[in-house]
Amino acid sequence: MPALYHLSRESLLPNNFQVIGIGRRIHEGQEFIQQMQHRVRQYCSHNMEQRYWKPLARKMMSIKNDFKNIDTYTSILNIIGELEKEWKNSANILFYLATSPSHFLSIIKQLADHNLNVQNKSKWTRIIVEKPFGLDSISAKALHEQISKYFNTSQIFNIDHFLGKEAVQNILTFRMSNIMFQPLWNKNYIEQIQIISAETIGVEGRVGFFEQTGAVRDMIQSHLIQILALLTMEHPASLEAEDIRKEKLKLLRSIRKYSIHEAGEYSIRGQYKEGVVNSELECKYTDEIGINEKSRVETYAAIKLFIDNERWEGVPIYLRTGKRMSRRTSEIFIQLKRTEGSTIPTNMKKQTPIANTIRLVIQPRASVELTIGWKPIGLITDVEPTNLQFGIKPDIKEPKAYERLLVDSMNGDSTLFINYEEIIEMWKIVDPIVQNWYLDNKKIENGKLVENLYYYPAGTWGPREANILIEKDSNKWSRL
């Protein structure tokens, strides 16, 4: 709803527009509008103004009913029919499934049974599906097959809100439109790549969801691997959706797929214990409301990947994510190789060369930071690391990810959405890791369960064992 408010504020919604909220426990009438107003006040990036809110509020209504009840879909049909009479035009329809994945198939089938999936030359019908897209490659394939029975590919928009973030959209611009970086974007110049997404929050009311997914399925399988694809794919023939998708898919297929038994060597998982986050004492994961005290679901995951193609052969890529971390951030860290031999001035050869780095911050606020070597003023000849920072000006409001993605879905632009083939390739990367952990959950030695789930205090950067994953390559986690 905050995204819709911002779009309305910027006059980016059509004049004939209606929001219909549907749910079993949803409020009705004025209570529904007040609830949505509260959400806008709570989450919008601007101060909410009545002159922008009131026109949107007049275009909002709700249907309180169960997704399984046929009357729900009859009500939708009746409302659309009345709107089309009022507008004297066919209504374009966008369904947004902000529900548990367990409801997807029954909702989609009911929509089709009531001809709510039909589109023609005078109107379009589209459906937005939230992640997770299944829980593994098998369930993702089954979900796609079922959805495809009722909606064609052009109607399905698989949404990953990370792809709507300003900094993520800027990845291609940064690496492809700046001549100073283009020649460096390969194994000859880049030593390592790290992509991280850290949160200070816990499960925040998403217990059922998170117990099913864990950190690697929730964050790495979707957000981080998509960022990796944009960061490392070949230049597309154009910036059209199909050309970008083609290169992303080619890259995803080049990522090395581990066997179940070797996956443990390239991954670490952890779970937070009691600790202090933002000056507040937080309980351990298994003391959160609704969590089984014996749960071994990971709240932290770190994996090492390789891309087996000519451009990136041998470059280690580290992805990590965690909950109840020291601070909230999502960023990309790229370390370039150090200068060698004749390129170093004679009087500086005893000093370890400075490693140039590139840091692309995605959130909380988009920015770029470059680290270069620089001799300080004076007679000292040592080289010091110096940071150059660029970012969005403080007085500029950064567009929210959902604003861009909602507009794109209404315009039929699928560039920032994920297609089925990408989803399957991402699961092929993650499946062996999850299966390895599942096998280890059952491994007993000397009458005891083998512990491959490591613990870290809330408010830190993860388990100490994660350092081993990167330090055996003589690398270190980037400072955050």
Side-chain angles (χ1 to χ4, degrees):
M1 187 51 65
L4 287 174
Y5 170 76
H6 291 146
L7 293 176
S8 178
R9 180 189 175 103
E10 299 299 324
S11 301
L12 292 173
L13 295 176
N15 292 328
N16 292 333
F17 180 82
Q18 184 75 36
V19 178
I20 307 171
I22 304 166
R24 185 161 48 90
R25 293 189 293 268
I26 201 168
H27 292 293
E28 293 182 288
Q30 198 59 34
E31 284 188 31
F32 172 69
I33 294 172
Q34 288 172 354
Q35 183 188 36
M36 295 302 101
Q37 184 178 26
H38 174 71
R39 290 282 186 269
V40 171
R41 287 187 189 279
Q42 190 174 9
Y43 296 111
C44 76
S45 54
H46 303 275
N47 290 328
M48 199 195 79
E49 297 181 53
Q50 288 298 317
R51 59 177 171 153
Y52 297 118
W53 168 251
K54 285 182 178 179
L56 179 62
R58 285 195 291 268
K59 297 178 179 180
M60 293 167 51
M61 62 184 301
S62 64
I63 299 173
K64 186 174 184 178
N65 216 328
D66 195 285
F67 300 131
K68 299 175 183 178
N69 193 322
I70 294 174
D71 292 343
T72 301
Y73 304 90
T74 304
S75 297
I76 296 172
L77 276 172
N78 292 337
I79 291 169
I80 292 172
E82 290 299 318
L83 290 171
E84 288 181 329
K85 287 180 183 178
E86 179 186 336
W87 296 340
K88 299 178 181 178
N89 206 345
S90 298
N92 297 315
I93 307 170
L94 179 64
F95 293 104
Y96 194 118
L97 302 192
T99 68
S100 165
S102 60
H103 296 308
F104 284 174
L105 295 182
S106 62
I107 292 172
I108 288 165
K109 186 177 184 306
Q110 287 280 15
L111 291 175
D113 287 346
H114 289 79
N115 293 322
L116 286 165
N117 61 335
V118 174
Q119 60 179 3
N120 52 46
K121 291 181 180 180
S122 64
K123 67 172 187 177
W124 52 255
T125 301
R126 297 175 187 137
I127 186 166
I128 294 179
V129 181
E130 277 269 18
K131 76 173 188 68
F133 314 113
L135 293 173
D136 53 25
S137 55
I138 295 173
S139 58
K141 182 179 180 181
L143 178 62
H144 176 74
E145 287 176 350
Q146 290 296 316
I147 294 176
S148 298
K149 286 181 181 178
Y150 309 110
F151 289 83
N152 65 48
T153 303
S154 67
Q155 293 177 283
I156 304 169
F157 287 72
N158 298 307
I159 193 170
D160 179 344
H161 75 276
F162 252 57
L163 298 184
K165 292 182 179 294
E166 194 70 25
V168 174
Q169 295 169 49
N170 247 320
I171 290 173
L172 293 182
T173 305
F174 177 83
R175 54 169 289 211
M176 294 180 184
S177 66
N178 294 298
I179 193 65
M180 69 177 76
F181 298 116
Q182 275 192 29
L184 307 180
W185 225 255
N186 56 66
K187 65 185 178 184
N188 298 323
Y189 296 97
I190 290 181
E191 184 75 34
Q192 59 152 320
I193 297 172
Q194 298 180 31
I195 304 174
I196 181 173
S197 182
E199 299 176 293
T200 55
I201 61 172
V203 288
E204 304 294 303
R206 299 165 72 228
V207 170
F209 168 81
F210 197 78
E211 277 286 288
Q212 272 192 312
T213 62
V216 73
R217 285 168 164 154
D218 182 29
M219 295 297 295
I220 291 180
Q221 186 275 338
S222 52
H223 304 327
L224 301 196
I225 292 180
Q226 275 291 312
I227 290 172
L228 174 60
L230 290 170
L231 186 71
T232 56
M233 72 184 201
E234 296 296 320
H235 288 215
S238 75
L239 293 180
E240 295 298 319
E242 191 55 40
D243 287 330
I244 291 176
R245 185 177 295 119
K246 189 183 299 181
E247 292 303 333
K248 278 204 301 179
L249 187 58
K250 195 185 300 181
L251 186 283
L252 291 170
R253 286 171 174 163
S254 299
I255 295 176
R256 189 179 302 173
K257 313 301 190 292
Y258 302 128
S259 70
I260 294 173
H261 294 291
E262 69 181 347
E265 181 184 345
Y266 299 98
S267 62
I268 290 285
R269 62 176 179 154
Q271 190 183 92
Y272 62 80
K273 301 186 299 183
E274 183 180 82
V276 177
V277 183
N278 295 332
S279 303
E280 295 287 336
L281 181 64
E282 302 290 354
C283 67
K284 64 182 180 179
Y285 176 72
T286 51
D287 282 348
E288 299 272 12
I289 296 173
I291 302 292
N292 189 308
E293 63 179 9
K294 294 182 179 179
S295 174
R296 290 172 59 79
V297 169
E298 80 282 356
T299 60
Y300 173 97
I303 66 174
K304 179 168 72 173
L305 297 174
F306 292 97
I307 300 172
D308 292 330
N309 65 18
E310 186 177 351
R311 180 185 289 268
W312 297 108
E313 182 183 8
V315 178
I317 298 164
Y318 308 95
L319 311 182
R320 59 174 170 152
T321 185
K323 290 189 173 295
R324 292 280 189 233
M325 304 285 270
S326 183
R327 69 180 178 87
R328 174 178 175 260
T329 186
S330 294
E331 54 190 70
I332 300 164
F333 173 80
I334 301 166
Q335 180 181 321
L336 278 67
K337 293 185 176 181
R338 300 174 193 272
T339 53
E340 296 179 351
S342 60
T343 60
I344 304 176
T346 304
N347 60 351
M348 298 180 185
K349 284 190 175 181
K350 291 183 180 179
Q351 182 183 353
T352 302
I354 298 297
N356 296 143
T357 64
I358 302 167
R359 189 183 301 272
L360 305 174
V361 179
I362 297 167
Q363 62 182 19
R365 193 159 178 83
S367 65
V368 178
E369 179 185 298
L370 307 179
T371 301
I372 63 171
W374 186 263
K375 189 191 85 65
I377 296 173
L379 301 178
I380 298 173
T381 56
D382 286 352
V383 178
E384 294 182 353
T386 299
N387 293 332
L388 307 175
Q389 291 183 308
F390 317 89
I392 297 175
K393 293 179 180 178
D395 59 334
I396 295 177
K397 297 290 185 181
E398 187 176 342
K400 298 296 183 183
Y402 283 106
E403 296 172 40
R404 167 62 62 87
L405 296 173
L406 284 172
V407 168
D408 285 356
S409 62
M410 286 186 269
N411 290 333
D413 183 351
S414 61
T415 305
L416 299 177
F417 293 82
I418 308 172
N419 78 349
Y420 167 68
E421 291 178 291
E422 292 175 64
I423 291 168
I424 293 300
E425 289 302 320
M426 293 189 293
W427 277 122
K428 286 180 180 178
I429 297 164
V430 166
D431 277 351
I433 294 168
V434 175
Q435 290 166 16
N436 175 278
W437 294 346
Y438 179 77
L439 289 175
D440 280 353
N441 279 347
K442 295 183 174 183
K443 193 183 292 183
I444 304 293
E445 290 181 6
N446 299 323
K448 292 184 178 180
L449 181 69
V450 173
E451 191 69 45
N452 80 330
L453 177 67
Y454 302 102
Y455 296 90
Y456 62 99
T460 64
W461 288 111
R464 287 177 296 177
E465 289 79 2
N467 295 334
I468 300 170
L469 182 70
I470 193 168
E471 288 176 356
K472 60 186 176 185
D473 299 325
S474 299
N475 291 321
K476 292 183 178 180
W477 295 117
S478 69
R479 61 165 181 78
L480 296 168

